[in-house]
Amino acid sequence: MSGCLFCRIVAGDIPAAVVLENDTVVAFLDIGPLADGHILVVPRKHFDLLVDVPPETCSAVASVVPVLGRALLDVTQADGFNLLVNNGRAAGQEVMHVHWHLIPRSSGDGLGYRWNAGSYPPGKADELKDRYLASLGSPKD
Ligand code: AMP
């Protein structure tokens, strides 16, 4: 897609520190890392959002994530990593070509992680489950 930053990186028109590529995906260092070794994985084909990505492309990304994760742990000596997709501008997506972040994490790295868990009042979880089932059609699909 012309004008898309990550399409231009995939095409080789803009330089990037590529660490892995195959027929379907390209992985490169994030230019603004949250921690040294922060990686982005993108499909070669342009999709704006995660919800636009077909299963075979998701599978290709999922297949490289453990490989990249092992390399990340080896190279950065981090204790772990976060795998993250910002889907949509409200979720913080700035580049509208879907990408998966692998962010190295270590104890006391100060990056923080807000996980302000709530709780459901009686009946609310069932109501939401029913709405999900109506949207999904069947829990077995
Ligand atoms: P997001 O907010 O999820 O859309 O993340 C976009 C990411 O792309 C940010 O972490 C940026 O640092 C990163 N980024 C922007 N431009 C480049 C670039 N030219 N090369 C590598 N990463 C980039």
Side-chain angles (χ1 to χ4, degrees):
M1 186 179 162
S2 71
C4 168
L5 175 63
F6 288 172
C7 283
R8 295 177 71 197
I9 286 177
V10 166
D13 295 339
I14 292 178
V18 174
V19 297
L20 182 153
E21 56 185 323
N22 62 31
D23 289 347
T24 311
V25 307
V26 180
F28 51 89
L29 295 186
D30 191 306
I31 204 171
L34 294 182
D36 285 357
H38 180 164
I39 296 169
L40 300 177
V41 188
V42 306
R44 287 185 181 277
K45 193 171 172 195
H46 183 95
F47 303 97
D48 283 5
L49 299 169
L50 177 63
V51 292
D52 300 329
V53 181
E56 58 274 16
T57 306
C58 277
S59 295
V61 173
S63 295
V64 300
V65 164
V67 176
L68 287 167
R70 284 192 293 273
L72 177 154
L73 295 173
D74 178 38
V75 167
T76 68
Q77 292 295 296
D79 300 324
F81 61 89
N82 290 121
L83 175 64
L84 172 72
V85 177
N86 297 324
N87 187 75
R89 294 200 188 280
Q93 185 175 0
E94 293 182 354
V95 179
M96 300 308 286
H97 179 135
V98 63
H99 49 281
W100 285 253
H101 294 260
L102 276 79
I103 305 165
R105 298 302 306 265
S106 292
S107 316
D109 62 16
L111 274 182
Y113 195 71
R114 284 186 299 144
W115 191 275
N116 298 330
S119 60
Y120 291 121
K124 182 70 178 179
D126 279 343
E127 177 206 324
L128 286 166
K129 182 197 75 175
D130 289 345
R131 288 167 58 193
Y132 271 111
L133 295 185
S135 176
L136 290 165
S138 162
K140 291 183 180 169
D141 283 347

